[in-house]
Amino acid sequence: MAGITIRRFEEDDKETVKEIFTMGMSEHVPSSFMHLLKQPLTQMILMVTFCSLLASSKSVLLPVVGVTLLLAGAKQLVGYLFNSYIDTSLRKDLDHIQETYLENKDSCFWVAESDGRVVATVACLPAEREPGCMELKRLSVRRTHRRMGIAKALSRTVADFSRERGFPAVVLYTSVVQTDAQRLYENVGYTRVREFVIPEPIAKITNFTLIEFKLDLLQGGNRRTGLTAGGEIGGLD
């Protein structure tokens, strides 16, 4: 963790922050596609398509081509959905970080720097779904700087910020395919609260779920970050 600092967002960071978020979300397209293929409805459609084309054509080539085209279309659909989510997130808050996170005493946006380069982000604001709690958002780390304890440090920064302002707990939401994130949150003291399907029709069809995690600050969850006065991180994995 030597050489890593955590500081508040500055307007000059905006494009880098958006890049880190976009790249991080795009990494989940392959795992989301695999999740789609594991669903019974998807497997049934592929099987019915293969058998129907095989019966009508008396040839293996046509059903193979048909199933291949279906798979390609499914992958394009997953990519489109993630791109739509990215665009929505940019419009909702990442294009307006100052107004969304830094003009209220109970919200904030941080970046982590390595050798003067922004390599990770995190934010928090009062939770809409869980009144009285803080919500951790936009935690993302460049691939080149993972496994260095940066994500843990950022999550603890949010915990300390929330505790200092009297919030009893921090909540967050992550998807079923983000298994690394799930392990991270459990390692820093979060517990699973529930798993639920996103209300959009396509999410219900594909059984794409979100997992709610919660960190109880009243129970002393999530030890201090170990930040020095200058913002340097120490004593973290």
Side-chain angles (χ1 to χ4, degrees), residues 30-235:
S31 58
S32 298
F33 177 59
M34 292 304 299
H35 173 78
L36 176 61
L37 294 184
K38 294 176 182 178
Q39 301 310 304
L41 179 59
T42 303
Q43 295 176 1
M44 182 185 71
I45 291 173
L46 293 173
M47 181 62 68
V48 169
T49 299
F50 184 89
C51 293
S52 298
L53 292 175
L54 181 62
S56 62
S57 67
K58 308 298 182 182
S59 169
V60 176
L61 179 60
L62 182 59
V64 168
V65 172
V67 169
T68 300
L69 290 175
L70 278 178
L71 292 173
K75 189 169 185 179
Q76 288 294 319
L77 174 62
V78 171
Y80 168 78
L81 293 174
F82 267 86
N83 287 334
S84 296
Y85 173 74
I86 290 170
D87 290 341
T88 299
S89 298
L90 293 178
R91 290 195 304 270
K92 183 178 180 181
D93 63 290
L94 291 178
D95 278 335
H96 314 283
I97 294 174
Q98 180 70 35
E99 297 90 332
T100 305
Y101 295 104
L102 299 180
E103 294 185 355
N104 187 313
K105 68 179 182 63
D106 289 334
S107 59
C108 196
F109 198 108
W110 297 269
V111 298
E113 281 187 330
S114 174
D115 298 324
R117 179 191 183 202
V118 173
V119 297
T121 69
V122 75
C124 68
L125 76 179
E128 294 182 2
R129 292 190 179 102
E130 296 288 336
C133 295
M134 187 73 83
E135 181 176 352
L136 182 151
K137 299 174 68 69
R138 307 310 184 205
L139 178 58
S140 187
V141 182
R142 286 189 186 273
R143 180 183 289 273
T144 54
H145 287 75
R146 293 175 189 169
R147 312 295 181 187
M148 297 172 59
I150 297 175
K152 289 183 179 180
L154 289 171
S155 68
R156 291 167 185 155
T157 297
V158 170
D160 289 347
F161 179 87
S162 304
R163 187 184 292 110
E164 290 166 0
R165 281 153 182 76
F167 285 84
V170 181
V171 298
L172 62 87
Y173 303 90
T174 190
S175 73
V176 66
V177 302
Q178 292 173 271
T179 53
D180 287 344
Q182 294 168 33
R183 286 192 292 269
L184 164 70
Y185 299 134
E186 290 172 341
N187 286 340
V188 296
Y190 284 81
T191 57
R192 293 181 183 232
V193 176
R194 63 187 175 115
E195 186 171 347
F196 58 97
V197 178
I198 302 174
E200 281 75 6
I202 187 64
K204 293 181 179 179
I205 294 173
T206 59
N207 194 34
F208 195 85
T209 59
L210 290 182
I211 303 172
E212 178 182 342
F213 283 86
K214 189 172 187 177
L215 177 69
D216 187 351
L217 299 177
L218 298 181
Q219 298 297 320
N222 204 322
R223 69 181 185 272
R224 293 288 176 174
T225 60
L227 291 176
T228 68
E232 194 70 23
I233 304 168

